[in-house]
Amino acid sequence: MSKIQLCDQYNCTQCMACVNACPKGCISMIDAGEGFYIPQISREACVECGSCMRACHRIDPKLGYNQPMKTLACWTKNDSDRKKSSSGGAFSVLARKTLNKGGVVYGATMDRDLTVKHIGVDNIDNIRLLQGSKYVQSFLGETYKSVQEQLKGGREVLFTGTPCQVGGLLTFLRKKYDNLITCDMVCHGVPSQRAFNAFCERTHLSGTCDSVSFRFTEGWGFQLARELVSPTKDGDSNSTSVQRKPILPHNAWYMRAFNKSLMFNESCYTCPYAIPQRISDFTMADYWGLGSHAPFNHPTFKGVSMLLVNNERAWAMIQDCPELFYEERTLEEAIEGNYNLSHCSSRPKGRDSFIKDMENMPQNKLVVKYDIKANMRDYLRILKQWINSKRV
């Protein structure tokens, strides 16, 4: 029996570190069911060097965990970036800082065919491609190889992703790079692209919009919206504008299923990163629960980022970002407002059948069976966000 054994469907996070690390290119990702992928080795080509196992953050998790130094409530002073971001736009500040040094920023984007993948950008105009939350598993491909090449070339790199994607990168690299900054997002769990595709087809989003926004940030909150991208009228072929149109609540059941953890990768329910101690330089989230421990005397309707600064290097970077407004808060407040900073998402009973049902069951029966039917609060949320969007 081969000594090389990689993750099964209950442990694999689809980070593809093993695929990136294999010197023979003999590992591929195969569908283990429901659109979640696991690695498969071509035994004929494998030389059993062990590179894949050493790169796996689940098999060989040699990662350093840090207690956060600072907990910040913050937002960018750049109003344009704040409007495009999920909450306060802290990511855009770090991204601009990196790009102004001639660096590269890696993060998740959504293509016009509504697929989510990781890309690298080295132009400030393209930060917009990485802004906003994507509640879908991001395809990494050979991203880790690309990051390594940039680091070896001396360029500063900011890598953003889920904690397991950061973990995969760090174990793949196998060494520390002074020119690498990592930022993980507090993660509830990841649905597969297949599950999202099924939703888009069922609600007629496929082929009718250029992107889907999961966070209607004019008013700060959860609200699915279809996005249409069009050229601006100034004649610049590279300049575009984005129009967002909220998806009515009765068709927005994807987010309600997401919030009930009905369609996550199996490994999400045993996530080792759902703890206050972090492996990244920074950790970001919405600052839910802000003000619960002490008054926060600033308006929040435009969105506020929760930013954990996890080491001295990260703190030095923040102090050199004058475009970031921040106020120090307590870690306890951040944990209280962000459940997945201290707990994995629980696996619900409906997880066994939901993805299959969402592909085949009539929508009216699906939302009733899994208790994800829209209610009056969902409609009032849109009204509240619209009112807040008119505030200065």
Side-chain angles (χ1 to χ4, degrees):
M1 183 176 178
S2 172
K3 66 179 181 180
I4 305 299
Q5 301 296 325
L6 296 177
C7 287
D8 59 21
Q9 68 185 89
Y10 297 100
N11 292 288
C12 184
T13 65
Q14 305 179 98
C15 74
M16 301 183 69
C18 56
V19 176
N20 280 253
C22 179
K24 296 296 183 179
C26 62
I27 301 177
S28 56
M29 301 295 288
I30 62 168
D31 193 339
E34 304 172 324
F36 296 109
Y37 289 77
I38 58 172
Q40 182 179 69
I41 302 171
S42 172
R43 298 295 178 182
E44 295 78 12
C46 179
V47 295
E48 300 198 0
C49 66
S51 295
C52 54
M53 294 180 69
R54 289 191 295 273
C56 179
H57 67 109
R58 295 304 298 261
I59 294 174
D60 192 14
K62 294 179 180 178
L63 299 167
Y65 288 78
N66 295 313
Q67 184 74 11
M69 287 180 53
K70 305 279 185 180
T71 302
L72 307 179
C74 56
W75 57 74
T76 175
K77 297 175 185 178
N78 183 319
D79 285 340
S80 176
D81 279 341
R82 194 173 180 185
K83 287 180 180 179
K84 297 172 186 174
S85 301
S86 294
S87 50
F91 161 74
S92 66
V93 174
L94 301 181
R96 285 179 179 275
K97 185 74 175 175
T98 302
L99 297 179
N100 284 334
K101 291 182 178 180
V104 187
V105 179
Y106 289 84
T109 191
M110 181 178 287
D111 282 345
R112 290 197 173 186
D113 63 357
L114 307 186
T115 59
V116 179
K117 65 180 183 180
H118 256 63
I119 61 170
V121 303
D122 58 7
N123 186 306
I124 285 178
D125 292 339
N126 288 331
I127 291 177
R128 61 181 177 79
L129 299 175
L130 309 182
Q131 290 174 304
S133 298
K134 289 92 179 173
Y135 294 101
V136 186
Q137 174 75 54
S138 174
F139 178 74
L140 283 162
E142 296 189 341
T143 296
Y144 292 166
K145 282 185 180 180
S146 177
V147 170
Q148 187 178 56
E149 289 172 3
Q150 298 295 341
L151 292 171
K152 288 182 175 180
R155 298 182 77 178
E156 185 163 315
V157 171
L158 170 64
F159 179 89
T160 63
T162 61
C164 59
Q165 289 175 333
V166 174
L169 173 64
L170 295 177
T171 50
F172 166 79
L173 292 174
R174 303 296 296 179
K175 60 174 286 188
K176 291 185 177 180
Y177 286 87
D178 292 337
N179 50 332
L180 173 65
I181 297 290
T182 56
C183 179
D184 69 77
M185 310 299 173
V186 176
C187 181
H188 190 54
V190 290
S192 67
Q193 181 70 52
R194 173 175 154 184
F196 182 62
N197 289 347
F199 165 73
C200 292
E201 290 167 7
R202 299 290 299 276
T203 52
H204 308 291
L205 294 174
S206 301
T208 65
C209 62
D210 299 313
S211 186
V212 173
S213 171
F214 296 87
R215 305 293 300 280
F216 192 67
T217 51
E218 292 182 278
W220 190 30
F222 293 97
Q223 175 57 54
L224 282 170
R226 63 178 72 223
E227 294 187 345
L228 294 173
V229 180
S230 57
T232 57
K233 296 179 180 180
D234 60 9
D236 183 353
S237 59
N238 295 318
S239 179
T240 58
S241 63
V242 177
Q243 291 181 320
R244 286 179 178 173
K245 183 178 181 181
I247 297 168
L248 293 178
H250 71 276
N251 275 332
W253 45 267
Y254 182 90
M255 285 306 300
R256 295 190 289 276
F258 179 91
N259 289 331
K260 296 188 74 168
S261 308
L262 284 167
M263 49 185 174
F264 295 161
N265 190 356
E266 292 289 358
S267 64
C268 297
Y269 303 112
T270 56
C271 177
Y273 304 110
I275 56 176
Q277 295 75 29
R278 313 305 292 180
I279 61 172
S280 301
D281 297 297
F282 295 101
T283 296
M284 287 184 188
D286 291 81
Y287 211 129
W288 305 124
L290 179 60
S292 62
H293 282 216
F296 186 71
N297 300 314
H298 305 278
T300 62
F301 64 89
K302 290 184 179 181
V304 181
S305 296
M306 187 280 295
L307 185 66
L308 300 184
V309 182
N310 300 325
N311 53 46
E312 291 282 359
R313 182 162 165 254
W315 180 233
M317 185 174 180
I318 290 298
Q319 291 177 298
D320 194 32
C321 292
E323 63 273 35
L324 183 72
F325 168 85
Y326 64 85
E327 179 178 295
E328 289 194 43
R329 308 293 293 181
T330 66
L331 179 60
E332 291 73 22
E333 180 185 62
I335 292 172
E336 187 176 293
N338 282 276
Y339 179 84
N340 294 107
L341 263 178
S342 57
H343 299 82
C344 299
S345 293
S346 298
R347 190 183 191 280
K349 292 182 180 179
R351 171 63 182 81
D352 291 335
S353 55
F354 179 75
I355 295 177
K356 181 178 179 181
D357 283 347
M358 75 180 293
E359 293 178 320
N360 301 294
M361 185 176 286
Q363 181 173 309
N364 61 331
K365 293 184 179 181
L366 180 77
V367 297
V368 171
K369 178 178 179 178
Y370 294 96
D371 192 23
I372 53 174
K373 189 176 180 180
N375 57 39
M376 185 58 66
R377 288 181 61 189
D378 296 311
Y379 288 91
L380 291 175
R381 188 179 298 116
I382 294 181
L383 176 61
K384 180 181 177 181
Q385 290 171 351
W386 180 82
I387 292 172
N388 280 335
S389 71
K390 303 303 178 183
R391 297 169 66 182
V392 178

